[in-house]
Amino acid sequence: MKIFRHLTTSLLLFCAMVAAGAFAFALVVTFVVSAFRSVEISAWNVVTSQIARWFLFAIGVYVIHNLLPIAVAHGRTRREFLLAASGFTVVLALGMALLGWLGFLVEGGIYSLMDWNVDAHGSPVAYFLMFLAWCAVGMFCAAAFDRFGAVGVFSVPIGLVLVVTTTVAIPGSGTLPFIRDIPALFGSSWHLVSVVAFVAALAGTWAIARDMPVRLRTM
């Protein structure tokens, strides 16, 4: 419980600050662009659909690569930490999805005032599932590299397979090379596939990290 509280109080605040900074930057860029041409896309959509997923992936990596060794060094078990980290992943994904939704509301009001007709964003549920899977895959890849060294590179294609469907319901998320048409095959079941991807990534993280040797990171 103490680990979970530490993760949520420290990293949630950090992520909220990053989201606020990204939103302010997106607005500044939008107004700069509007001075030279008409605004045709949502800047916040670019941030939430493309940049944010990599940010959540990085948070997942940080949790396993940096914080797990610290917890173990302070007498916590790997099982205790992984349990707390799993719950934290859900809370973080939910919090970031709500921040994304709030950003769209504020941006939509500003765009309406400026008479910019742009509407391109998915549902909060879609963002929640995407963030959930990407953060868990970040944890999985970090555990694989920390446990197996260079051999951990084989976790990358596995992670790619797990997250490929999570962006189906999010406009502006782009496509991935060589597998552009695969997500469409899942149709309306994309949300179930996203949940399965999250569970699979989490299970892989537990299987690898539950007894792996750790070294305390100095940075």
Side-chain angles (χ1 to χ4, degrees):
M1 186 64 183
K2 186 176 181 180
I3 298 176
F4 176 77
R5 185 168 62 250
H6 172 74
L7 289 173
T8 52
T9 54
S10 59
L11 289 182
L12 272 181
L13 177 60
F14 169 73
C15 291
M17 293 172 62
V18 171
F23 181 76
F25 180 75
L27 280 183
V28 170
V29 171
T30 299
F31 277 100
V32 170
V33 170
S34 70
F36 302 96
R37 54 173 297 175
S38 60
V39 176
E40 300 175 349
I41 64 173
S42 163
W44 187 235
N45 181 65
V46 174
V47 173
T48 55
S49 66
Q50 299 189 36
I51 300 175
R53 61 190 180 188
W54 289 106
F55 176 72
L56 268 290
F57 176 87
I59 292 294
V61 171
Y62 176 76
V63 166
I64 295 299
H65 183 69
N66 293 79
L67 299 186
L68 174 58
I70 295 176
V72 172
H74 283 80
R76 303 294 178 177
T77 66
R78 292 164 181 78
R79 181 182 181 280
E80 183 182 2
F81 180 87
L82 290 172
L83 184 62
S86 300
F88 163 73
T89 302
V90 176
V91 174
L92 176 63
L94 179 60
M96 294 301 286
L98 291 176
L99 286 174
W101 174 73
L102 179 61
F104 279 120
L105 288 181
V106 176
E107 184 191 60
I110 294 174
Y111 277 32
S112 295
L113 290 175
M114 299 300 297
D115 200 24
W116 295 332
N117 242 343
V118 176
D119 182 21
H121 57 83
S123 69
V125 174
Y127 282 101
F128 167 69
L129 293 175
M130 179 179 72
F131 293 155
L132 197 63
W134 280 74
C135 188
V137 167
M139 293 169 60
F140 167 69
C141 290
F145 275 97
D146 285 354
R147 176 74 180 269
F148 306 115
V151 180
V153 71
F154 290 105
S155 67
V156 175
I158 297 175
L160 180 62
V161 170
L162 292 176
V163 300
V164 67
T165 313
T166 62
T167 60
V168 170
I170 300 178
S173 58
T175 55
L176 295 173
F178 308 114
I179 47 179
R180 297 180 179 179
D181 298 325
I182 292 179
L185 298 177
F186 294 103
S188 59
S189 64
W190 64 267
H191 54 286
L192 178 60
V193 178
S194 296
V195 173
V196 171
F198 164 68
V199 173
L202 211 56
T205 303
W206 274 75
I208 296 172
R210 65 183 178 182
D211 59 354
M212 73 177 185
V214 296
R215 291 185 302 171
L216 184 62
R217 313 295 174 186
T218 57
M219 293 184 63

